[in-house]
Amino acid sequence: MAGDHLRANLPPLTLHVPEPRFRPGDAVDFAEVAVPSAGAAARPETDAHPSSFTDLAYSLVRVLDEEDRAVGPWDPKLSPDMLRRMLRSMALVRAFDERMFRAQRQGKTSFYMKCTGEEAVAVAAAYALDRDDMCFPSYRQQGLLIARDWSLVDMMNQIYSNKGDRLQGKQLPIMYSVKECGFFSISGNLTTQYPQAVGWAMASAAKGDTRIAATWCGEGSTAEGDFHSACTFASVYRAPVILNIVNNQWAISSFSGFAGAESTTFAARAVGYGIAGLRVDGNDALAVYAATAWAAERARTNAGPTLIELFTYRAEGHSTSDDPGAYRSAGEPTAWPLGDPIKRLKDHLIGLREWDEERHAAQDLELAEAVKAAQKEAEKNGILGHGLHQPFDTLFEGVFEELPWHLKEQQAQMIAEETASGRPWAQK
């Protein structure tokens, strides 16, 4: 054919397969991770056109500097009381995670997911949002509930799937659903919460409400079609929503390069959709608060959605079913250049002379005891390893608004069989 002789001298086509820099046993050096100086990123007006600050999708919004001082235009200038509340909530999340992780290892529940190193992602955002704003979380934002003072016992009941579980054992442990706290049901299907959040935000705007929506997903989930559908609708209709991408570098055992991290930032996806994009130090509670508050004001004043990449690191395994030592260097968590969000906020408060190591140690002990007491209370309702805690009749509850005919038939059959066997099916 006409072009054959031209192609004869071309090399064969190849594919690029992303490969993480460090594998088990490797020494870790994060020198290639660009960390701009704190305070260097400009803070545009909340009504600015997205095209005027696309550089913020490629840099990094930081407030706390290397000495943990708050600097630059993004400093939210929070009161010491607010800083202490945020610190306490993050410390409580970590204490809760530690206790529930041990409970899983003791066989009291089947599954748990910690957010160690990512506490600021949810906690700081929760404080920046209004309490009645609707949150559509992924499975590592338990800090939203804890920052909103939700009952630890209620959360543990769900983890144990016991008789106190309001979800009646129908959800995997840690997949909470708390309407009263503006916390939408967590789904095990990745990124379904993104279009749900955009749809809720569009409905809020259509009704003339003032509440906005916020949603979270991991960087790996941005490869899902639901992510892009949500971005399209958010862009077209200027939905009052905050789209958070938690870039913790790992999607289970797949590093972020498989989702596109080698090509550009995840915040840069906002540029293609014509929406506001920010890339934020996710281990800096003040930066997370400031970016969320900025995006919330933008949404609430009809200036459109914001996509925020929260640049952080998953310090531990994906879940209790995961062994990170099988696919990444053990040195990564301690070498991560952005540090520990709890320590950074603690050191900031100490630098302000509004906190000290003694009070922090006392608080850690107090919170550990509070979590322990909550665990004892929850375990009075049973634990997952001790069999069925929900009456059989709940099998048909809370799934359909109106029970379909075939399930009504099955329900009647079960009643008849249980009655004939002498085991009253509806005993409470």
Side-chain angles (χ1 to χ4, degrees):
M1 296 179 65
D4 286 352
H5 69 285
L6 296 175
R7 290 197 295 270
N9 294 325
L10 293 176
L13 297 173
T14 62
L15 290 174
H16 169 67
V17 179
E19 182 70 23
R21 290 199 63 202
F22 314 114
R23 286 298 193 183
D26 290 345
V28 177
D29 180 4
F30 280 120
E32 87 289 352
V33 176
V35 180
S37 298
R43 185 185 184 279
E45 296 296 325
T46 54
D47 62 352
H49 194 275
S51 63
S52 67
F53 54 88
T54 56
D55 58 305
L56 294 180
Y58 302 94
S59 55
L60 199 64
V61 173
R62 302 181 66 216
V63 173
L64 294 176
D65 66 11
E66 302 309 317
E67 284 75 43
D68 296 305
R69 298 169 302 192
V71 297
W74 284 95
D75 178 8
K77 301 188 185 305
L78 300 177
S79 69
D81 283 344
M82 173 63 87
L83 294 174
R84 281 189 288 264
R85 286 171 58 198
M86 287 170 56
L87 178 65
R88 181 181 181 85
S89 292
M90 288 199 291
L92 180 54
V93 171
R94 189 164 293 184
F96 183 86
D97 277 357
E98 290 296 331
R99 174 69 56 172
M100 291 295 96
F101 179 87
R102 289 198 299 272
Q104 191 278 334
R105 290 297 192 245
Q106 293 165 353
K108 295 179 178 181
T109 187
S110 61
F111 183 80
Y112 193 73
M113 299 181 79
K114 300 170 77 173
C115 65
T116 307
E118 302 175 46
E119 292 88 355
V121 164
V123 169
Y127 280 101
L129 294 166
D130 288 351
R131 185 181 171 84
D132 59 354
D133 289 334
M134 193 67 182
C135 296
F136 292 77
S138 181
Y139 39 60
R140 219 180 298 276
Q141 279 81 57
Q142 53 266 48
L144 294 170
L145 287 173
I146 288 176
R148 288 180 169 182
D149 297 319
W150 192 248
S151 164
L152 300 184
V153 175
D154 187 72
M155 294 171 69
M156 290 175 179
N157 285 338
Q158 195 281 325
I159 293 167
Y160 289 141
S161 298
N162 60 27
K163 66 181 182 181
D165 177 12
R166 293 180 300 107
L167 304 185
Q168 302 173 322
K170 293 184 173 72
Q171 277 275 55
L172 185 72
I174 65 86
M175 293 191 177
Y176 316 101
S177 176
V178 187
K179 182 178 181 180
E180 306 91 317
C181 212
F183 190 98
F184 195 80
S185 306
I186 295 176
S187 171
N189 297 319
L190 299 181
T191 333
T192 56
Q193 69 273 18
Y194 252 61
Q196 290 164 348
V198 174
W200 191 96
M202 290 172 62
S204 183
K207 292 188 296 184
D209 205 338
T210 58
R211 294 174 296 168
I212 66 171
T215 185
W216 289 258
C217 77
E219 85 284 347
S221 297
T222 63
E224 295 281 343
D226 280 355
F227 172 85
H228 297 281
S229 296
C231 288
T232 297
F233 275 85
S235 173
V236 170
Y237 295 100
R238 297 181 188 172
V241 63
I242 303 172
L243 306 167
N244 293 289
I245 301 171
V246 184
N247 178 8
N248 64 14
Q249 316 304 314
W250 290 95
I252 308 183
S253 59
S254 297
F255 91 112
S256 58
F258 282 103
E262 292 182 341
S263 301
T264 187
T265 68
F266 290 97
R269 301 194 176 187
V271 177
Y273 286 104
I275 62 179
L278 303 176
R279 190 164 176 262
V280 177
D281 180 349
N283 289 15
D284 178 346
L286 272 67
V288 175
Y289 180 99
T292 305
W294 182 91
E297 181 180 340
R298 186 175 178 86
R300 235 180 285 280
T301 56
N302 297 308
T306 303
L307 186 149
I308 302 175
E309 176 188 350
L310 298 154
F311 196 59
T312 181
Y313 186 83
R314 196 194 76 209
E316 302 209 21
H318 176 73
S319 71
T320 50
S321 303
D322 176 46
D323 176 15
Y327 55 81
R328 73 183 189 189
S329 170
E332 286 194 25
T334 53
W336 183 245
L338 297 179
D340 181 313
I342 293 178
K343 183 180 185 302
R344 289 176 69 185
L345 184 55
K346 177 196 72 173
D347 290 347
H348 174 62
L349 271 163
I350 290 174
L352 294 175
R353 301 183 184 277
E354 294 287 348
W355 198 240
D356 54 59
E357 294 288 359
E358 291 74 18
R359 277 190 283 178
H360 192 79
Q363 177 176 269
D364 279 346
L365 180 60
E366 175 201 348
L367 296 178
E369 290 299 319
V371 173
K372 182 179 179 180
Q375 182 184 29
K376 288 183 177 179
E377 187 66 26
E379 289 181 3
K380 292 178 183 178
N381 294 318
I383 59 176
L384 185 62
H386 288 177
L388 183 67
H389 296 285
Q390 300 290 334
F392 278 119
D393 61 322
T394 64
L395 181 67
F396 298 94
E397 296 176 3
V399 179
F400 293 93
E401 182 177 6
E402 185 174 339
L403 206 62
W405 66 269
H406 67 286
L407 290 184
K408 288 180 180 179
E409 287 186 355
Q410 292 177 32
Q411 184 184 46
Q413 181 182 0
M414 188 178 75
I415 294 172
E417 291 177 354
E418 288 294 306
T419 302
S421 69
R423 300 189 301 269
W425 74 288
Q427 278 189 351
K428 300 290 186 182

